[in-house]
Each structure stands twice: as C-alpha cells, then as structure tokens.
Amino acid sequence: MKLSDELPVDHRLAMVYRIGAGLCGAILLAFGILGFTNQLSFFDTTGDSIAGLSTNGLLSLISVAVGGLLIAGTVVGGNVASTLNMTIGTLFLLSGFGHLFILDRSANILDFGMSNVVFSFVMGLLILTFGMYGRVTGGLPHDNPYWRRRHPEQADREADAARRAAAAGGQLGRGGAQTSR
C-alpha cells in the first residue's frame, strides 16, 4: 500500500488548506521580494529590517523560494498541497527552535531576531495546521481513510455490509424476483 492511497484526495475542506497555505506563501513571497528591492547583501547581519523582521539577501531568497512552493502547492492541490504544507510547517517550527538557540551568535547567517523566531513559530503552526486539516481531526466521516485506519473493525463491518447490500441488489436485478411498478 502506498502512502498516497491513504491520503484524502477529495476531502470536502481541501480548499481551506489550499487557500490558507496560498496566503501564507503570498506573505512570504512579498517579504522576500521586499528584501530584494532593498538590495540587501546576501550574508549581511547588520539588522536591516522589513515589516518588523530582520532580514538579508539569503533570507529573502529562501522566503521567495518557500513562498513559491506554497503557491505552487495551492495550485496543484490535493495530497501534494497537504503533504507540502505539513513539511514546510514542520521546517518553519524547526527553524524557529534552531534560530532561538543561535540568536546573537555568528552562526545566525539569516540575521534572525526574536521577532523572526516568533514569526517562524506562528507561520509554521499555521501552515502545519493547513496541511493537517482533513487528516487529523475529530469527527471524520466514515469514508475517510484516516477514520478507517483508526477504527479497522468497524470499517470492516461497514465494508462487509456494503458488499452484502450490493450483492443482494445485483441478485434481485438478475433473477427478476422483484418487479418495479
């Protein structure tokens, strides 16, 4: 069984995480483009600021690339968008934790400040939530593959009942035992 077989292809709320991630991507793309328009040097750590966040050319490039990926995932949609959102959201959270430990050190090549760390946590949680929407929630419909995975016995009983109903319906149609009026 492939992982793609387990993902909700046509989940009814798929547009929520697609649009949400697209908006997050647009914010990142705008931040990166603003960094490029200010002609920041690539590894400068002097504290240039855009929209309250410290930045340099490398952070602008990363922001443009990640924003573009999120927008591309929004366009593609489906399982690709969900998986991409979960991956990028996790990377944002890890980046926030990593940069929290290297603030005011020479290893801080992206010129992160505390506002960047907070932004990374917030953006990571948002994107991660958009990626998990429809995968991890209470009250999943019984046709959702995640519900079936969590409740295998009941899913098997429902599948058996559906097969019996389909078989009974097929026999009635072929045997002519029941006529319609």
Side-chain angles (χ1 to χ4, degrees):
M1 179 178 295
K2 296 180 190 175
L3 177 62
S4 60
D5 295 338
E6 295 296 315
L7 300 177
V9 175
D10 293 323
H11 192 272
R12 67 184 186 279
L13 297 172
M15 290 303 291
V16 171
Y17 63 78
R18 285 178 69 182
I19 292 170
L23 290 174
C24 291
I27 291 168
L28 290 171
L29 193 61
F31 175 75
I33 289 172
L34 286 173
F36 285 134
T37 59
N38 285 351
Q39 298 177 345
L40 302 172
S41 68
F42 218 62
F43 292 105
D44 185 22
T45 57
T46 59
D48 291 326
S49 180
I50 294 177
L53 301 172
S54 58
T55 188
N56 61 18
L58 181 58
L59 185 57
S60 294
L61 178 64
I62 292 170
S63 297
V64 167
V66 172
L69 276 173
L70 286 171
I71 291 171
T74 300
V75 171
V76 172
N79 298 338
V80 172
S82 179
T83 303
L84 183 68
N85 294 343
M86 289 180 66
T87 303
I88 289 177
T90 302
L91 291 175
F92 261 90
L93 290 176
L94 292 174
S95 172
F97 281 117
H99 283 94
L100 188 61
F101 292 110
I102 63 170
L103 286 176
D104 300 326
R105 293 201 171 93
S106 61
N108 188 3
I109 62 171
L110 295 179
D111 193 28
F112 260 50
M114 193 58 183
S115 59
N116 295 70
V117 170
V118 171
F119 177 81
S120 186
F121 285 141
V122 170
M123 187 65 79
L125 285 173
L126 271 173
I127 296 169
L128 190 60
T129 300
F130 293 139
M132 289 183 176
Y133 208 77
R135 284 183 170 200
V136 181
T137 183
L140 291 172
H142 290 209
D143 62 343
N144 186 295
Y146 297 105
W147 182 90
R148 291 193 309 259
R149 175 74 68 156
R150 292 177 195 144
H151 308 282
E153 295 85 19
Q154 188 173 349
D156 289 342
R157 286 192 302 269
E158 289 179 7
D160 288 341
R163 280 191 292 271
R164 283 192 301 270
Q171 289 176 351
L172 287 178
R174 275 185 262 135
Q178 185 177 17
T179 59
S180 60
R181 294 180 188 225

